[in-house]
Amino acid sequence: MSILEHLNRGPFRELVGVEITEVGDGYAEARLSLEQKHSSRQGDLIAQGGVTFTLADSVAGAAAISLVGRPTPTIDFRIDYLRPATSDLRAIGEVTRSGSETAVVDVSVFDDDDNEVATGRGVFKTSKLASDAPWEIARE
């Protein structure tokens, strides 16, 4: 199983509708088709903040995983919402620092018109996990 296939098997990402579309060498892209179930208001299509956050955190984690080849739990993630997200979303994550213990990933989230709707920065654990860690190890 490729790392991309592994990343798209996450049950929470499947529930929300996040699809990792590209991953490699400290970089990842993901998308989410915005639906009424993601909306913060009945009758309007405005992404609830947690949906945008989930997309951003997912793409950042995928970028970190692409460098170390194993699960990279989120240590910290912050997001800035720049404008309402009212259409399908695309996110790009790029590792800006990778060390033996952590990686830092910057994220941009865009709508269908290529407007940046959010930016984020995540810190991910890159050191090896304990053998009894609950995360599934990606295997080829």
Side-chain angles (χ1 to χ4, degrees):
M1 174 185 312
S2 74
I3 195 163
L4 186 60
E5 291 169 323
H6 174 76
L7 289 168
N8 281 312
R9 288 183 47 178
F12 185 68
R13 280 189 296 278
E14 287 179 12
L15 176 71
V16 176
V18 171
E19 179 188 2
I20 308 297
T21 57
E22 186 177 335
V23 65
D25 200 26
Y27 178 86
E29 288 190 26
R31 65 186 177 115
L32 181 138
S33 294
L34 194 61
E35 301 174 22
Q36 184 61 50
K37 69 180 181 180
H38 300 119
S39 191
S40 62
R41 280 198 322 227
Q42 191 67 16
D44 287 325
L45 197 58
I46 300 173
Q48 198 274 344
V51 172
T52 306
F53 184 96
T54 297
L55 176 63
D57 180 50
S58 295
V59 79
I65 288 170
S66 76
L67 284 182
V68 298
R70 61 180 170 271
T72 56
T74 306
I75 295 172
D76 183 58
F77 198 94
R78 73 168 317 277
I79 192 163
D80 292 315
Y81 300 100
L82 307 175
R83 64 176 49 210
T86 59
S87 63
D88 292 351
L89 300 174
R90 176 178 58 89
I92 297 171
E94 295 184 74
V95 175
T96 57
R97 180 197 172 280
S98 182
S100 62
E101 294 292 320
T102 62
V104 177
V105 183
D106 286 341
V107 175
S108 292
V109 181
F110 301 92
D111 65 14
D112 267 350
D113 293 324
D114 245 5
N115 296 309
E116 194 170 34
V117 298
T119 60
R121 173 170 278 182
V123 179
F124 297 84
K125 180 177 177 53
T126 57
S127 59
K128 288 193 175 184
L129 301 170
S131 62
D132 62 346
W135 292 276
E136 178 184 338
I137 302 300
R139 292 186 176 87
E140 292 296 321

